[in-house]
Amino acid sequence: MKKLIFITTLFLSMVICRAGNTIKVTDSPVDYVSTLVGTLSKHSLSTGNTYPAVALPWGMNFWTPQTGTMGDGWAYVYTEDKIRGFKQTHQPSPWMNDYGQFSIMPSSKPVFKQDERASWFSHKAETATPYYYGVYLADHDAYTEFTPTERAVMFRITYPESEMSYLVVDAFDRGSYVKIIPEENRIVGYTTRNSGGVSADFRNWFVIVSDTPFDYVRGVEDENLTGKMEVNASHAGAVVGFKTSKGQKVHLKVASSFISLDQAMLNLNELGDRSFDQIRQAGRDRWNEVLGRFVVEDDNLDNIRTFYSCLYRSVLFPRDLSEIDAQGRRVHYSPHTGEVCPGYLYADTGVWDTFRCLFPLLNLAYPEENVKMQEGYVNHYLESGLLPEWSSPGHRPCMVGNNTASVVADAYLSGLRGYDINALWEAVKAGANSEHPSVKSSGRWGYDYYNKLGYVPCDVNINESAARTLEYAYDDWCIYQLGLTLGKDEAELEQYRKNAMNYRNLYDAEVGLMNGRKKDGSFRRPFSPLKWGGDFTEGNSLHYTWSVFHDVAGLMDLMGGQDRFAASLDNVFEMPPHFDESYYGFVIHEIREMQIMKMGNYAHGNQPIQHMLYLYDWCGQPWKAQKRIRDVMDMMYSAAPDGYCGDEDNGQTSAWYVFSAMGFYPVCPGSGQYAIGSPMFKKMTLNLSDGKKIEISASDNSKDNCYISSMKVNGKKHDANYVTLEQLRSGAKIVYKMTDSPNKERGVSPESRPYSFSDQRQ
Ligand code: CA
């Protein structure tokens, strides 16, 4: 990668305090971010399945260089040689694909087609940062740079000397519109391309204003250059040209809106009269403000780069779709109704992934952002009647569970206020007792069976029924806890209190694991713990059995006590990575990512198991959690283009690293507890939004010293395998003493284990 550029940047523009070999990231954490992590991916093997999002945190629009063809979810792949355009994107993942996309591309020839305008490029002549991207387009001898705000972007294109240099605007196919207004140096248009989850009249309106008059103009109709200044077609575009002198810079101001062309013009105001460099500096400052909540001090530069690259991916999604109208009011396009509605709306997250630790990270480090997201959830509910389990931007049919209950409950139980929690209370109850009429994954598919039988049966044509049941049970616990805090009466809460224990209904004592169960009460036979999918979701029973986030002690009882529980955990790592892919008919990439990691059946590349390492904290063997967590951090994460071990998934897999590097993790969002693992750095400070600080130190930390020999919280010896949100919020000082061998005396008592619903009920 761009080692030279990186090192130069590091020494010239950053404030680094050095004590011995320790690097303290005090001033410019964004310089440690690589946006290319995870881009060396393909269908059959994901090392992140990301693209270099050039954006502001949670921004409405992201921009990416586009190496893939139009419509290809793999928009930017590290090993590709050519760039076809610079795309405004709203894509959360290649599997969900994009919506509202259009692209801009300089060219030395008057061509439109994506393969004709494509240019060779090199990563050596590429500068990729969160707030700025620059690349040399070799075939056009043009250097292209851009720097975004939340809803707008400025391009700076340096052309060679030429009688005519060109600019291609591609509004993509499936229905688009472009109008060239030469007297205003302006191109406007819209794209309708989407992947579902939008209203029928969906449009993303855009405006492009050049600082250089057009000397050549062609409207493009279905890829053909025409004399038309206005094109409404299946695939509309524009090619304009400028006579350019050597090194001439053309600046483009670009903005868009999901509401209207007028609103897109208003959004252009975000750029104001600022220069390219001023916008770039403001973007850099914003990133440093957000990333700077975390200050890392350590001597391992690689780990610091991994950490901030993960933190960057933790603060992109969900995106803020709201816009500010002419009256200064915050409004949004509703993907549910197509109307313009008041207030916030956030999109592009699948909470099956992100309830686990991405939202909990926001609640701890960026609560003010999640307050706005919660208001957005209120609006999703008011506009569609349910909370979207997968929003991109409206309801999308994908994955299982009803984990918006966790997202809502954890936010409120973490102390977030300032939004309509009563509407959200109605929303989570609606979600628990209904199915979305067409998108089965919003609400609860099989809720009637679940409420009647205590589980979703595996023989009633509802796929992945065991995964659904396990997640519904945890979601019921979330609703129950939220209801308690809201002072709801026992009659209303009874259903959720009782159903929170429904995970017990799927424990198959004969096989010692969770299993699909038929309507008549019998378990699925034959049973294979290795079978991915079927009754489970993108995992097998060995992965899903642990999805009892809220009652690990209860699960331990079912399994026959803590020793047998620990042995079952061990077994997952110690067995070979055998698998049964018959449900899919081919080896899905998540299976391959498990198989190749030399960790048995542990599948960190996918979400269902990502909390499992921490469960050793419940069974008196916390040192195994410590060792294995560090192994995963060391082996499965880096700041290289192949730096993830599976789909990154909208911040979830990144936030796992961020939490784990702090030395704790929210196994059960909503419980107010974080299970302890093994801190990554010698020192970390989290500057909370109210000015308090969480200071975490582990001065003798190293790769070998991954075990906790002892720890103190606020000066007091700490034997518990958890810390509480209350402790953290009040500004905790956590001091870990690290060693290279397990301390088998610490954290072994029953009192030291973290929260379990069963413990509380006794
Ligand atoms: Ca995944």
Side-chain angles (χ1 to χ4, degrees):
M1 284 185 52
K2 314 166 272 78
K3 269 194 193 114
L4 267 179
I5 295 171
F6 177 71
I7 289 166
T8 312
T9 318
L10 196 67
F11 287 101
L12 290 183
S13 66
M14 292 180 41
V15 177
I16 305 172
C17 304
R18 282 177 178 273
N21 292 322
T22 300
I23 301 163
K24 181 177 180 182
V25 183
T26 53
D27 191 48
S28 195
V30 74
D31 290 326
Y32 292 90
V33 172
S34 169
T35 59
L36 304 187
V37 184
T39 62
L40 209 166
S41 293
K42 52 190 171 188
H43 289 72
S44 57
L45 189 73
S46 168
T47 68
N49 267 336
T50 57
Y51 56 88
V54 187
L56 293 190
W58 306 290
M60 183 172 92
N61 301 324
F62 297 176
W63 286 84
T64 181
Q66 185 194 337
T67 62
T69 54
M70 177 173 61
D72 185 353
W74 280 259
Y76 177 100
V77 175
Y78 192 80
T79 45
E80 291 294 316
D81 300 315
K82 287 187 174 182
I83 287 176
R84 292 182 159 85
F86 301 94
K87 182 172 82 152
Q88 189 192 94
T89 176
H90 309 92
Q91 176 172 296
S93 105
W95 311 109
M96 306 305 289
N97 215 295
D98 209 345
Y99 65 95
Q101 64 270 50
F102 65 96
S103 74
I104 289 170
M105 178 73 179
S107 174
S108 53
K109 295 170 287 186
V111 294
F112 178 81
K113 289 179 181 166
Q114 58 181 350
D115 291 339
E116 292 174 9
R117 72 193 190 222
S119 168
W120 278 81
F121 80 107
S122 165
H123 295 299
K124 295 180 180 67
E126 178 189 46
T127 305
T129 79
Y131 57 89
Y132 164 85
Y133 180 88
V135 71
Y136 178 63
L137 298 175
D139 291 311
H140 308 310
D141 189 21
Y143 193 69
T144 301
E145 304 166 274
F146 54 91
T147 184
T149 62
E150 273 92 355
R151 297 167 194 84
V153 67
M154 186 180 277
F155 275 76
R156 180 165 70 189
I157 302 161
T158 307
Y159 283 107
E161 181 172 7
S162 174
E163 279 303 306
M164 202 62 78
S165 294
Y166 300 92
L167 182 79
V168 178
V169 175
D170 188 341
F172 283 40
D173 62 359
R174 300 186 188 167
S176 47
Y177 166 78
V178 168
K179 183 179 180 185
I180 308 168
I181 311 168
E183 59 277 18
E184 296 176 9
N185 301 341
R186 185 179 301 224
I187 301 166
V188 300
Y190 63 73
T191 172
T192 65
R193 205 177 211 281
N194 68 80
S195 306
V198 295
S199 57
D201 59 349
F202 169 77
R203 285 170 188 183
N204 184 25
W205 294 90
F206 60 81
V207 53
I208 301 166
V209 182
S210 167
D211 69 346
T212 307
F214 306 145
D215 299 315
Y216 171 98
V217 283
R218 293 288 184 277
V220 176
E221 187 169 28
D222 296 332
E223 303 199 313
N224 298 310
L225 274 60
T226 74
K228 297 178 185 172
M229 291 298 98
E230 188 170 10
V231 176
N232 201 332
S234 164
H235 188 174
V239 178
V240 296
F242 321 93
K243 178 175 164 48
T244 50
S245 56
K246 184 171 162 53
Q248 182 174 340
K249 290 178 169 46
V250 172
H251 293 83
L252 307 171
K253 290 182 172 182
V254 184
S256 66
S257 168
F258 295 114
I259 294 172
S260 67
L261 183 55
D262 287 346
Q263 183 64 47
M265 294 296 297
L266 281 174
N267 292 344
L268 207 54
N269 293 339
E270 281 186 359
L271 301 174
D273 295 327
R274 291 182 295 170
S275 69
F276 186 93
D277 291 339
Q278 285 171 324
I279 295 163
R280 177 169 59 180
Q281 183 63 44
R284 182 179 163 81
D285 292 346
R286 174 65 179 144
W287 272 105
N288 279 328
E289 178 193 341
V290 170
L291 300 175
R293 290 271 167 97
F294 292 82
V295 177
V296 172
E297 296 170 56
D298 201 75
D299 51 12
N300 187 317
L301 179 59
D302 289 341
N303 291 343
I304 291 174
R305 295 189 66 202
T306 304
F307 178 83
Y308 284 107
S309 298
C310 282
L311 187 55
Y312 151 75
R313 294 234 169 246
S314 303
V315 296
L316 287 170
F317 297 102
R319 78 176 72 251
D320 174 8
L321 282 193
S322 71
E323 307 177 47
I324 307 298
D325 74 6
Q327 282 73 46
R329 296 169 305 196
R330 187 173 297 277
V331 294
H332 64 268
Y333 154 77
S334 171
H336 310 295
T337 67
E339 308 280 301
V340 179
C341 298
Y344 284 102
L345 195 87
Y346 282 76
D348 300 316
T349 191
V351 301
W352 180 82
D353 300 289
T354 52
F355 87 86
R356 300 164 196 271
C357 77
L358 186 275
F359 277 95
L361 181 68
L362 298 175
N363 290 335
L364 180 63
Y366 307 98
E368 68 283 3
E369 299 299 333
N370 198 14
V371 166
K372 296 185 276 185
M373 292 168 194
Q374 296 298 310
E375 184 188 324
Y377 275 119
V378 171
N379 291 329
H380 272 298
Y381 171 61
L382 296 177
E383 293 160 30
S384 77
L386 283 173
L387 302 175
E389 298 296 323
W390 231 117
S391 139
S392 183
H395 296 268
R396 295 282 296 277
C398 191
M399 310 313 288
V400 303
N402 177 220
N403 301 309
T404 49
S406 171
V407 172
V408 167
D410 188 45
Y412 195 78
L413 295 167
S414 297
L416 275 59
R417 296 295 184 271
Y419 52 94
D420 187 355
I421 190 62
N422 292 318
L424 289 178
W425 173 248
E426 296 305 318
V428 294
K429 284 192 303 175
N433 297 288
S434 66
E435 299 166 354
H436 191 284
S438 54
V439 179
K440 294 290 192 196
S441 54
S442 286
R444 291 188 184 182
W445 194 12
Y447 76 93
D448 40 359
Y449 286 113
Y450 175 85
N451 286 345
K452 207 166 9 168
L453 298 175
Y455 57 95
V456 180
C458 63
D459 56 348
V460 295
N461 281 328
I462 297 174
N463 68 345
E464 303 173 3
S465 59
R468 291 179 199 275
T469 299
L470 293 170
E471 292 180 18
Y472 294 168
Y474 160 67
D475 300 331
D476 281 328
W477 174 87
C478 290
I479 297 171
Y480 176 58
Q481 297 300 323
L482 176 62
L484 282 179
T485 304
L486 293 174
K488 302 297 176 188
D489 62 47
E490 182 52 31
E492 192 177 9
L493 296 183
E494 167 68 13
Q495 172 190 344
Y496 307 103
R497 185 182 60 76
K498 187 170 136 284
N499 288 355
M501 300 303 280
N502 278 346
Y503 69 88
R504 298 176 67 91
N505 297 332
L506 290 195
Y507 185 74
D508 183 344
E510 226 173 276
V511 299
L513 293 166
M514 297 295 178
N515 190 3
R517 194 168 184 183
K518 295 181 185 168
K519 222 161 38 168
D520 67 7
S522 62
F523 284 103
R524 182 181 289 283
R525 293 289 182 271
F527 167 78
S528 167
L530 302 177
K531 183 171 179 177
W532 283 62
D535 298 333
F536 300 96
T537 302
E538 290 184 0
N540 60 30
S541 177
L542 292 165
H543 306 140
Y544 248 102
T545 289
W546 318 103
S547 290
V548 187
F549 313 94
H550 58 299
D551 198 12
V552 181
L555 176 62
M556 210 145 65
D557 281 347
L558 286 175
M559 290 182 134
Q562 67 174 25
D563 293 342
R564 298 202 30 199
F565 178 86
S568 290
L569 288 171
D570 289 343
N571 180 49
V572 172
F573 297 93
E574 288 164 5
M575 68 193 301
H578 292 159
F579 57 84
D580 172 354
E581 79 284 17
S582 57
Y583 175 69
Y584 302 102
F586 67 102
V587 178
I588 61 172
H589 71 92
E590 289 90 348
I591 295 178
R592 192 69 74 203
E593 289 143 18
M594 173 195 83
Q595 183 202 10
I596 60 180
M597 289 302 170
K598 200 173 171 285
M599 277 201 191
N601 245 267
Y602 180 69
H604 192 79
N606 207 18
Q607 283 65 37
I609 206 167
Q610 287 180 345
H611 65 294
M612 178 246 199
L613 297 171
Y614 284 89
L615 299 188
Y616 285 107
D617 281 351
W618 273 259
C619 59
Q621 301 186 13
W623 59 90
K624 287 186 180 167
Q626 293 154 24
K627 175 75 170 80
R628 288 187 164 138
I629 288 161
R630 280 289 279 274
D631 285 348
V632 168
M633 281 197 278
D634 283 337
M635 190 171 98
M636 300 205 193
Y637 289 84
S638 82
D642 66 345
Y644 293 106
C645 59
D647 287 351
E648 193 284 324
D649 283 332
N650 305 104
Q652 166 59 28
T653 299
S654 293
W656 186 95
Y657 189 94
V658 172
F659 264 119
S660 294
M662 283 193 273
F664 47 82
Y665 181 87
V667 168
C668 178
S671 69
Q673 289 191 4
Y674 305 82
I676 286 171
S678 176
M680 192 65 178
F681 297 113
K682 290 185 188 304
K683 188 160 185 206
M684 249 175 98
T685 306
L686 171 52
N687 297 302
L688 297 172
S689 48
D690 64 359
K692 294 198 174 75
K693 288 174 193 300
I694 302 170
E695 290 179 312
I696 300 157
S697 56
S699 58
D700 42 11
N701 209 347
S702 68
K703 192 170 169 69
D704 293 333
N705 285 1
C706 65
Y707 294 102
I708 299 172
S709 74
S710 65
M711 66 183 283
K712 286 183 174 175
V713 175
N714 295 331
K716 281 192 199 142
K717 184 168 182 263
H718 193 78
D719 193 57
N721 290 326
Y722 61 91
V723 289
T724 65
L725 178 63
E726 216 177 327
Q727 288 171 320
L728 298 179
R729 273 282 167 73
S730 51
K733 276 194 169 58
I734 303 174
V735 180
Y736 295 93
K737 194 156 172 33
M738 308 303 289
T739 173
D740 60 2
S741 55
N743 176 357
K744 297 192 175 176
E745 310 292 314
R746 197 205 150 270
V748 296
S749 67
E751 298 75 44
S752 67
R753 74 188 186 195
Y755 176 87
S756 292
F757 192 35
S758 292
D759 286 347
Q760 305 293 307
R761 285 152 58 98
Q762 282 156 15

